[in-house]
Amino acid sequence: MNEPSSGSAADAADAFARGGHPAGSEGARALEKEAALPLTGWQQEVDQGLRYGLEAASSIVDRRISTFSRGELPHYAGINTFMKAPYLEDVNRVGEFDVAVVGVPHDSGTTYRPGTRFGPQGIRRISALYTPYNYEMGVDLREQITLCDVGDIFTIPANNEKSFDQISKGIAHVFASGAFPIILGGDHSIGFPTVRGVCRHLGDKKVGIIHFDRHVDTQETDLDERMHTTPWFHATNMANAPAQNLVQLGIGGWQVPREGVKVCRERGTNVLTVTDICDMGLEAAAKFAIERATDGTDCVYISFDIDCIDAGFVPGTGWPEPGGLLPREALKLLELIVRNVSVCGLEVVEVSPPYDVSDMTSLMATRVICDTMAHLVVSGQLPRKSAPAWLHSDCNMQVDRAWR
């Protein structure tokens, strides 16, 4: 196994400068940050691997290697949990962890290309490529937070409403435990039941929604049902999630139904196109999103549709649209937002592995998730030192209005 380095920050900076790199550069700062990180979690993982996986064969020189693969290495081996986090079979214990990854393999709300039911599998599979350490940010998730994967919510094929009930109950359980929920979709119809699950434990508090997408997803029905084009109509029907605090980033192109546009206009939601974002600049766009999402709210929920990124970078999605954000633009927006708002949950949706190429769409989803966790650590939101002020222990099953 590759042990992280443990030199002093000063030595690292001096060596970097001697190599001809500019003093004070991001690279130099990254070297200093790495030197300050602990190795406790890494050592615990090695020790556990040896206990659970047996000592290696006598010919193996590196005695930190076990007979059976346990932990991060090798990246191509082991069970596919997210980033090889522990699989938590007993979801009653989810509150023991800082972050819980939840799969929602649901694509019955898809109106064109199916396959997002395989999104959680695809994201988990390629997430094994990553280590828990990010160079530029100087964050090691293994050392700084506890992460678990609770597996998938049991959704009901071909029945959106029953699946929505399952999703809301599952997300409410994770949210109420105090663990930070990260949701692997699934098509975007899950945006309504996930927010409903959050709202059940907000009491009289309110949540703003920041929605990365090429599509508004605000019409009431599509093909006579609640589908992946409708989540924000129904989410913003709830008193805990006011429409004026819905901010949509990246909207545009030839796939924005006029029924949804009418709802945005009538409810006073906030929409920035890709052109708006480019003309304003990323910092101004993020400031706009933060101001609108946090105006009178207590926390912010982030819904990241992978198709907000230009289709050339994310072919594995159900409804690709050219002209979207570049990956680095989307990631920078995410950084500027997550570090400056109280985030209560994240979902990444519309990853469709059957249409993917070289796992690049699933990898982009993984990057969004890992970056979000790192930004939460850098901003001091994780690990949580106490229960968030917006979290209410009682469950209100009546947060959404009757539909039909």
Side-chain angles (χ1 to χ4, degrees), residues 313-328:
F313 297 96
V314 289
T317 187
W319 211 294
E321 171 64 23
L325 295 165
L326 297 177
R328 63 173 171 263

mmCIF file of all heavy atoms in Angstrom, residues 313-328:
data_model
loop_
_atom_site.group_PDB
_atom_site.id
_atom_site.type_symbol
_atom_site.label_atom_id
_atom_site.label_comp_id
_atom_site.label_asym_id
_atom_site.label_seq_id
_atom_site.Cartn_x
_atom_site.Cartn_y
_atom_site.Cartn_z
ATOM 1 N N PHE A 313 -19.131 16.032 -22.714
ATOM 2 C CA PHE A 313 -18.375 15.535 -21.566
ATOM 3 C C PHE A 313 -19.136 14.451 -20.803
ATOM 4 O O PHE A 313 -18.523 13.685 -20.060
ATOM 5 C CB PHE A 313 -18.053 16.683 -20.604
ATOM 6 C CG PHE A 313 -17.175 17.741 -21.194
ATOM 7 C CD1 PHE A 313 -17.721 18.891 -21.739
ATOM 8 C CD2 PHE A 313 -15.799 17.598 -21.207
ATOM 9 C CE1 PHE A 313 -16.914 19.887 -22.278
ATOM 10 C CE2 PHE A 313 -14.980 18.575 -21.743
ATOM 11 C CZ PHE A 313 -15.539 19.723 -22.284
ATOM 12 N N VAL A 314 -20.464 14.419 -20.943
ATOM 13 C CA VAL A 314 -21.276 13.464 -20.171
ATOM 14 C C VAL A 314 -22.294 12.782 -21.099
ATOM 15 O O VAL A 314 -23.496 13.044 -21.007
ATOM 16 C CB VAL A 314 -21.971 14.163 -18.981
ATOM 17 C CG1 VAL A 314 -20.968 14.529 -17.903
ATOM 18 C CG2 VAL A 314 -22.719 15.417 -19.424
ATOM 19 N N PRO A 315 -21.834 11.894 -21.955
ATOM 20 C CA PRO A 315 -22.768 11.237 -22.884
ATOM 21 C C PRO A 315 -23.735 10.283 -22.201
ATOM 22 O O PRO A 315 -24.808 9.999 -22.740
ATOM 23 C CB PRO A 315 -21.838 10.479 -23.834
ATOM 24 C CG PRO A 315 -20.603 10.221 -23.020
ATOM 25 C CD PRO A 315 -20.459 11.427 -22.147
ATOM 26 N N GLY A 316 -23.371 9.809 -21.017
ATOM 27 C CA GLY A 316 -24.187 8.794 -20.346
ATOM 28 C C GLY A 316 -25.280 9.406 -19.516
ATOM 29 O O GLY A 316 -25.277 9.295 -18.280
ATOM 30 N N THR A 317 -26.242 10.034 -20.179
ATOM 31 C CA THR A 317 -27.366 10.630 -19.470
ATOM 32 C C THR A 317 -28.622 10.485 -20.303
ATOM 33 O O THR A 317 -28.553 10.275 -21.521
ATOM 34 C CB THR A 317 -27.080 12.115 -19.132
ATOM 35 O OG1 THR A 317 -28.122 12.618 -18.308
ATOM 36 C CG2 THR A 317 -26.966 12.959 -20.385
ATOM 37 N N GLY A 318 -29.769 10.598 -19.663
ATOM 38 C CA GLY A 318 -31.027 10.296 -20.324
ATOM 39 C C GLY A 318 -31.495 11.344 -21.308
ATOM 40 O O GLY A 318 -32.262 11.054 -22.212
ATOM 41 N N TRP A 319 -31.066 12.609 -21.118
ATOM 42 C CA TRP A 319 -31.565 13.655 -21.986
ATOM 43 C C TRP A 319 -30.438 14.670 -22.228
ATOM 44 O O TRP A 319 -30.452 15.786 -21.718
ATOM 45 C CB TRP A 319 -32.784 14.333 -21.359
ATOM 46 C CG TRP A 319 -33.754 14.840 -22.389
ATOM 47 C CD1 TRP A 319 -33.532 15.849 -23.284
ATOM 48 C CD2 TRP A 319 -35.054 14.350 -22.655
ATOM 49 N NE1 TRP A 319 -34.629 16.020 -24.088
ATOM 50 C CE2 TRP A 319 -35.580 15.113 -23.726
ATOM 51 C CE3 TRP A 319 -35.837 13.336 -22.103
ATOM 52 C CZ2 TRP A 319 -36.861 14.896 -24.241
ATOM 53 C CZ3 TRP A 319 -37.102 13.126 -22.608
ATOM 54 C CH2 TRP A 319 -37.616 13.896 -23.668
ATOM 55 N N PRO A 320 -29.430 14.282 -23.027
ATOM 56 C CA PRO A 320 -28.261 15.145 -23.225
ATOM 57 C C PRO A 320 -28.614 16.392 -24.021
ATOM 58 O O PRO A 320 -29.463 16.364 -24.910
ATOM 59 C CB PRO A 320 -27.297 14.250 -24.014
ATOM 60 C CG PRO A 320 -28.192 13.290 -24.747
ATOM 61 C CD PRO A 320 -29.360 13.044 -23.830
ATOM 62 N N GLU A 321 -27.949 17.498 -23.691
ATOM 63 C CA GLU A 321 -28.175 18.758 -24.399
ATOM 64 C C GLU A 321 -26.838 19.488 -24.571
ATOM 65 O O GLU A 321 -26.178 19.816 -23.574
ATOM 66 C CB GLU A 321 -29.151 19.639 -23.620
ATOM 67 C CG GLU A 321 -29.307 21.053 -24.151
ATOM 68 C CD GLU A 321 -29.912 21.114 -25.555
ATOM 69 O OE1 GLU A 321 -30.597 20.143 -25.951
ATOM 70 O OE2 GLU A 321 -29.712 22.121 -26.248
ATOM 71 N N PRO A 322 -26.409 19.732 -25.814
ATOM 72 C CA PRO A 322 -25.165 20.484 -26.030
ATOM 73 C C PRO A 322 -25.273 21.912 -25.495
ATOM 74 O O PRO A 322 -26.365 22.441 -25.288
ATOM 75 C CB PRO A 322 -25.034 20.486 -27.566
ATOM 76 C CG PRO A 322 -25.852 19.320 -28.024
ATOM 77 C CD PRO A 322 -26.986 19.235 -27.068
ATOM 78 N N GLY A 323 -24.118 22.517 -25.299
ATOM 79 C CA GLY A 323 -24.081 23.915 -24.882
ATOM 80 C C GLY A 323 -24.105 24.134 -23.390
ATOM 81 O O GLY A 323 -24.274 25.263 -22.936
ATOM 82 N N GLY A 324 -23.942 23.072 -22.608
ATOM 83 C CA GLY A 324 -23.990 23.206 -21.155
ATOM 84 C C GLY A 324 -22.698 23.727 -20.562
ATOM 85 O O GLY A 324 -21.786 24.177 -21.268
ATOM 86 N N LEU A 325 -22.595 23.667 -19.262
ATOM 87 C CA LEU A 325 -21.414 24.126 -18.549
ATOM 88 C C LEU A 325 -20.219 23.223 -18.856
ATOM 89 O O LEU A 325 -20.382 22.021 -19.093
ATOM 90 C CB LEU A 325 -21.667 24.114 -17.042
ATOM 91 C CG LEU A 325 -22.736 25.070 -16.518
ATOM 92 C CD1 LEU A 325 -23.125 24.686 -15.091
ATOM 93 C CD2 LEU A 325 -22.257 26.515 -16.568
ATOM 94 N N LEU A 326 -19.032 23.788 -18.839
ATOM 95 C CA LEU A 326 -17.825 22.979 -18.862
ATOM 96 C C LEU A 326 -17.637 22.348 -17.486
ATOM 97 O O LEU A 326 -18.057 22.922 -16.473
ATOM 98 C CB LEU A 326 -16.616 23.838 -19.197
ATOM 99 C CG LEU A 326 -16.594 24.515 -20.573
ATOM 100 C CD1 LEU A 326 -15.356 25.390 -20.708
ATOM 101 C CD2 LEU A 326 -16.658 23.487 -21.692
ATOM 102 N N PRO A 327 -16.997 21.175 -17.421
ATOM 103 C CA PRO A 327 -16.802 20.555 -16.105
ATOM 104 C C PRO A 327 -16.151 21.476 -15.086
ATOM 105 O O PRO A 327 -16.593 21.542 -13.936
ATOM 106 C CB PRO A 327 -15.921 19.342 -16.435
ATOM 107 C CG PRO A 327 -16.307 18.975 -17.827
ATOM 108 C CD PRO A 327 -16.553 20.289 -18.511
ATOM 109 N N ARG A 328 -15.109 22.191 -15.481
ATOM 110 C CA ARG A 328 -14.438 23.043 -14.488
ATOM 111 C C ARG A 328 -15.324 24.207 -14.050
ATOM 112 O O ARG A 328 -15.197 24.694 -12.921
ATOM 113 C CB ARG A 328 -13.094 23.537 -15.010
ATOM 114 C CG ARG A 328 -13.131 24.420 -16.234
ATOM 115 C CD ARG A 328 -11.735 24.969 -16.543
ATOM 116 N NE ARG A 328 -11.703 25.649 -17.826
ATOM 117 C CZ ARG A 328 -11.304 25.093 -18.968
ATOM 118 N NH1 ARG A 328 -10.913 23.818 -18.969
ATOM 119 N NH2 ARG A 328 -11.282 25.780 -20.086
#
